[in-house]
Amino acid sequence: MDIVVKGRKTEVPERFRKHVAEKLKLEKIQKLDAKVISLDVEVSKEPNPRQADRSDRVEITLRSRGPVIRAEAAASDPYAALDLAAEKLEARLRKQHDKRFSRRGRRISAAEVPDHVPDAATLNGNGHPVHEEETGGVPTKKIGSLEVQGEGPLIVREKTHVASPMTLDQALYEMELVGHDFYLFVDSETKEPSVVYRRHAYDYGVIHLNTDPMVAQAQPPAAGGTLGG
C-alpha cells in the first residue's frame, strides 16, 4: 500500500511528500488496522489573508474494510497541519482498535448471561438459578439492582410534582426557565393536564388531554395530587 499525496488548488513540493512518508508510518498504522486499503493525504491552501494562522489544511483519509477514518487540521504551514492531523488519525485508530479488542475480550457477569446466551438459566439477586415455577412461568432477569419479570416495561425513574394551574404562556416561560424540551402542566382554563414542547427553531407545540366522560363515570374517583411540570 502506498500513500497518495495530492494538492487541491496548490502545488505539493517533493520535500513535503517525503515528510508525509516519514510522518505516517505504514507499519504502525497497519498494526492498529491490518485491513487498511488506501491512505490519501490532501493539501489545500486558504487564500484569505485574514486566516493566515490557518492557511494550510491537511486532510488524511484512511480506507479499510471497516469504516472510513478521516482526520484534518489547519495551521500556518502544511508541516504543522500534517503533524496535527496525524495525531488525530492515530488517536482515532487507537480508539477503533481498543473498541474491537474490548468487544472480543469483554467478560460478562453471571447476571448478563441470559442476555447473551440463549436458553441459559436466569439468576436472581443472590446468583442462584430462578426456576419458572417460582415466577409463575414468567422468566425473571437481573437488570442492575432490579429483578424484572418478562420483558418489562422497566421504570427506572419516577417523579411526582405538585403545581398550580397555569396558562399556556406561563408554561412556555417555565419550560424555557428550566431548559427542557417539554413541560407538563395543568391548564388553568380546562383544568386538564397538558404538555408544551419545543419543535424546530422557535416553534412550539402543545398537547391537551381531555378526560373521557364515559371512563370517568365507570371508574371511582382516585385520590391524588395535582400533576406538575
Side-chain angles (χ1 to χ4, degrees):
M1 182 191 69
D2 296 327
I3 301 176
V4 178
V5 183
K6 56 185 178 181
R8 184 174 61 183
K9 297 181 180 179
T10 185
E11 293 292 332
V12 181
E14 187 63 28
R15 178 188 171 194
F16 182 79
R17 295 178 184 273
K18 292 181 180 179
H19 183 71
V20 170
E22 295 173 358
K23 187 67 180 180
L24 301 177
K25 301 291 186 182
L26 292 179
E27 298 83 1
K28 189 175 183 179
I29 292 175
Q30 288 174 335
K31 282 184 179 180
L32 296 174
D33 189 345
K35 299 179 181 180
V36 178
I37 299 174
S38 65
L39 187 62
D40 298 334
V41 178
E42 184 178 85
V43 184
S44 60
K45 195 167 186 69
E46 172 59 52
N48 190 346
R50 294 182 180 180
Q51 299 185 10
D53 58 334
R54 298 172 58 84
S55 60
D56 291 278
R57 177 175 296 275
V58 173
E59 178 179 321
I60 306 174
T61 303
L62 185 146
R63 293 180 174 83
S64 66
R65 296 181 184 177
V68 176
I69 299 177
R70 286 189 175 88
E72 61 178 329
S76 57
D77 64 82
Y79 295 91
L82 175 65
D83 292 344
L84 294 173
E87 291 176 3
K88 292 181 181 180
L89 178 70
E90 183 176 348
R92 291 170 186 174
L93 278 172
R94 288 190 181 279
K95 185 177 180 180
Q96 290 289 339
H97 177 269
D98 294 342
K99 187 183 295 185
R100 288 194 299 268
F101 178 79
S102 61
R103 192 176 296 161
R104 292 195 302 266
R106 178 177 177 268
R107 294 183 178 181
I108 61 175
S109 63
E112 294 178 292
V113 170
D115 298 330
H116 297 271
V117 182
D119 301 326
T122 305
L123 306 179
N124 60 17
N126 299 321
H128 300 300
V130 177
H131 302 287
E132 288 193 357
E133 56 268 19
E134 297 179 14
T135 60
V138 180
T140 301
K141 61 182 178 180
K142 184 80 171 177
I143 301 180
S145 60
L146 302 177
E147 291 183 5
V148 181
Q149 290 188 1
E151 297 298 327
L154 175 64
I155 300 175
V156 297
R157 191 174 185 182
E158 184 177 356
K159 282 187 175 183
T160 301
H161 295 274
V162 177
S164 302
M166 62 180 65
T167 64
L168 177 59
D169 289 341
Q170 289 175 319
L172 286 171
Y173 173 78
E174 293 291 337
M175 182 183 71
E176 295 294 345
L177 189 65
V178 298
H180 291 170
D181 293 328
F182 68 93
Y183 191 79
L184 175 65
F185 69 102
V186 176
D187 194 297
S188 58
E189 293 184 4
T190 63
K191 301 300 187 292
E192 297 286 352
S194 301
V195 174
V196 64
Y197 60 95
R198 182 180 288 106
R199 287 168 56 84
H200 304 291
Y202 295 99
D203 293 338
Y204 299 97
V206 60
I207 300 174
H208 299 288
L209 294 180
N210 292 326
T211 303
D212 190 334
M214 300 298 295
V215 176
Q217 292 176 6
Q219 296 180 350
T226 309
L227 292 176

